Amino acid sequence: MPLSHRPDPRLVRLDDNWLSLPNPHGVPVEICAGPDVPLEAAAVDELLTVLETAGTLRTLGSARIDRVVCTPDFHKGAGIPIGTVIQTTGALIPAAVGNDINCGMRVETTALTVDRIRPHLDALERRLRHLFFEGGRRIGLTAARREGLLRYGLSGLFADGVPDADGGAWAQVRPDDVTGLDGRLHATGFPAESAAGFEDWISSGGGVSYDSIIGSIGGGNHFAELQYVSAVHDGAAAHAWGLAPGRVVLTVHSGSLSLGHQAGALGRDAARAAWPRGLPMPRNGILPLAGDPARYLTAFRNAANFAIGNRFFLAMMLRAGLADVAGEVGARLIYDAPHNLLWPSADGTVVHRKGATPAGGPTGDPHRLYGEPVIVPGSMGAPSYLLRGLDAPRALGSAAHGAGRRVPRGAAARGSDAELDAFLRDFRVVTPLDHRDPAVLARRDIIDAWRRDLKQEAPWAYKDVAPVVDSLRGAGVASPVVELRPLLTVKG
């Protein structure tokens, strides 16, 4: 369904940056979106359906939905819109996190400048294709490292130190990638009692083994991208984060892949199994986990830990490509942030974020003096932004995780060939398929399928990121620090 700047009659404009959605369930719902952010009617329809869960919770006793906040990239999802934050009391809702548990972003600064890299883009494209898609990643893991990662996150991955490596991702690991990480990740890990649910992945191959999952970008809007600082909006915060005009930046957007889907399915199955007999299933199919959540939460933490490790290795692969063409990279982590996760509190409340990133305010931590880094990417080929969070209570401390889809995937895949050709002339996209290879060009069926996939993620499929960022700034959710322009994007 197309987006419109015309107000949806079901929404009430409260001020320049906020709307409310009255509903028969009495749940306070607010959407952070300025007048220049188009909103999808289908997403509003979906959100109204989600709110039926408030009635479902009332049938179970004291559990309730306290509040719902939607971010400016709000758009239709699969059951629950992307960009939805739900605070509950006494209820955990697996569907409110999405399938790709701990999908998130990692951003690193480097010692390189855009002028140093531009002359080497042809060689860099070839090298990155090898690293990401032709066996070059070389991420060898023992069963102990695999289990350590799934149970403890990065501390488990590095429990036995960093292995010696001749090339590949491991060769890029530096001492400050292993220690002193507090404050530079939203979480270095989520301790789990076991990882028995993923024994097949842990024991695969025996000894030091390699697999096709770790170091994978995933599909859809996931990416690994080389960018550079094109504008500075907050000089003090930019300096603190190691950013300056022309500085090359690495950004990764990925999650827990098949492990997250497995954990998500476990949660949904557990919710169905625990549903009280004789009580009709809710029409919207969105169930709270009424039984013991321990087994689900263990798998959830395992998947969340995998996602942190996966983004880590994807960043190492970008570093490896840069090092091959430009020498020492001098990369340093700015931040790793989740946007598909849940945050339980001791008072029984749970904040569920699906496609929404935490935006905490300044703290005494040296890495958080200016607020929590907020990563808001634009569409492929479009600018991205780094902002600093302001911990806005009205927004449940949450910000957008991107620009937000404007055109559904099916419609985008039928987009203009001329627009795609113009985009590919101006921008580099590294995919498993080298579309310049004469042997590949001879296969029209393969090229057509490749073009359909690219169209789904092309710039015209997404909203303009600038009004999204303006809404976050105007609402006091987050303040822009730098604008980033893309040099090259790797897509799975």
Side-chain angles (χ1 to χ4, degrees):
M1 184 175 293
L3 303 191
S4 173
H5 287 276
R6 290 177 297 177
D8 188 308
R10 295 167 294 182
L11 300 175
V12 177
R13 171 66 65 183
L14 302 175
D15 59 36
D16 286 347
N17 298 290
W18 288 97
L19 304 108
S20 69
L21 177 61
N23 61 89
H25 309 286
V27 177
V29 179
E30 290 191 304
I31 301 172
C32 177
D36 293 330
V37 176
L39 296 175
E40 183 184 29
V44 178
D45 294 339
E46 188 173 49
L47 184 56
L48 286 168
T49 300
V50 170
L51 295 175
E52 295 173 11
T53 299
T56 301
L57 293 178
R58 281 193 284 271
T59 66
L60 299 177
S62 60
R64 65 180 185 271
I65 293 179
D66 300 317
R67 290 179 60 202
V68 175
V69 171
C70 296
T71 57
D73 56 340
F74 172 68
H75 61 282
K76 190 177 184 306
I80 294 179
I82 310 301
T84 298
V85 185
I86 300 176
Q87 179 181 296
T88 61
T89 294
L92 190 159
I93 306 173
V97 177
N99 282 327
D100 196 0
I101 292 167
N102 197 13
C103 186
M105 298 191 196
R106 179 184 175 106
V107 62
E108 300 184 354
T109 186
T110 74
L112 300 172
T113 64
V114 63
D115 292 337
R116 175 79 177 86
I117 296 302
R118 280 196 194 278
H120 304 288
L121 288 177
D122 286 341
L124 184 57
E125 181 177 339
R126 291 190 295 270
R127 183 62 184 143
L128 289 174
R129 180 171 288 109
H130 174 71
L131 282 160
F132 280 81
F133 307 120
E134 296 173 352
R137 65 184 76 166
R138 296 166 65 181
I139 305 171
L141 298 172
T142 63
R145 284 193 192 278
R146 291 173 187 271
E147 182 175 4
L149 172 62
L150 296 190
R151 290 188 62 189
Y152 303 108
L154 292 184
S155 64
L157 179 67
F158 300 136
D160 294 328
V162 176
D164 294 331
D166 181 18
W170 275 120
Q172 295 302 313
V173 181
R174 301 293 180 262
D176 66 355
D177 295 318
V178 179
T179 59
L181 296 176
D182 289 344
R184 292 195 287 142
L185 296 92
H186 185 80
T188 59
F190 302 88
E193 291 185 359
S194 79
F198 300 100
E199 184 59 35
D200 287 350
W201 185 75
I202 290 171
S203 60
S204 58
V208 176
S209 60
Y210 303 79
D211 66 80
S212 61
I213 303 175
I214 193 80
S216 294
I217 296 173
N221 63 348
H222 295 157
F223 63 83
E225 190 164 82
L226 298 181
Q227 304 165 325
Y228 68 94
V229 178
S230 60
V232 174
H233 300 284
D234 184 327
H239 178 74
W241 295 351
L243 298 167
R247 187 69 55 86
V248 172
V249 172
L250 316 179
T251 301
V252 168
H253 175 200
S254 189
S256 48
L257 307 171
S258 59
L259 283 76
H261 284 265
Q262 182 177 330
L266 176 67
R268 292 190 299 276
D269 290 347
R272 281 193 291 269
W275 188 252
R277 291 187 178 182
L279 192 65
M281 285 277 186
R283 184 180 61 171
N284 63 10
I286 299 171
L287 298 174
L289 190 51
D292 182 0
R295 186 163 172 251
Y296 166 64
L297 288 177
T298 295
F300 181 95
R301 293 177 184 125
N302 294 154
N305 288 332
F306 176 89
I308 295 171
N310 195 50
R311 288 193 291 273
F312 170 81
F313 281 118
L314 288 167
M316 296 306 111
M317 290 153 62
L318 283 176
R319 290 187 195 181
L322 281 172
D324 285 343
V325 302
E328 179 58 38
V329 175
R332 181 175 173 80
L333 174 64
I334 295 176
Y335 205 58
D336 181 285
H339 51 241
N340 280 9
L341 212 59
L342 54 83
W343 285 259
S345 296
D347 63 0
T349 61
V350 183
V351 172
H352 307 69
R353 291 186 176 101
K354 181 182 179 183
T357 191
T363 70
D365 187 294
H367 300 290
R368 301 275 190 91
L369 289 176
Y370 294 93
E372 185 169 16
V374 173
I375 309 161
V376 181
S379 61
M380 183 169 58
S384 298
Y385 287 82
L386 269 179
L387 303 90
R388 57 185 187 91
L390 301 174
D391 198 21
R394 186 174 187 177
L396 288 171
S398 306
H401 84 309
R405 182 165 283 278
R406 186 177 68 86
V407 180
R409 293 188 186 279
R414 298 188 294 273
S416 164
D417 286 313
E419 283 186 277
L420 180 63
D421 290 337
F423 171 68
L424 292 174
R425 281 194 298 270
D426 295 334
F427 189 69
R428 292 176 184 265
V429 184
V430 181
T431 68
L433 184 76
D434 183 357
H435 66 288
R436 300 183 187 90
D437 185 333
V440 173
L441 286 170
R443 289 292 305 272
R444 193 70 247 170
D445 56 334
I446 294 175
I447 288 292
D448 286 347
W450 176 80
R451 289 173 66 87
R452 282 195 299 272
D453 287 345
L454 275 187
K455 286 177 183 179
Q456 293 181 36
E457 297 302 319
W460 61 80
Y462 286 84
K463 302 176 189 178
D464 182 0
V465 71
V468 168
V469 170
D470 286 344
S471 295
L472 295 174
R473 177 184 50 77
V477 173
S479 179
V481 175
V482 297
E483 181 179 332
L484 305 169
R485 294 273 174 177
L487 281 168
L488 174 153
T489 300
V490 185
K491 296 288 291 183

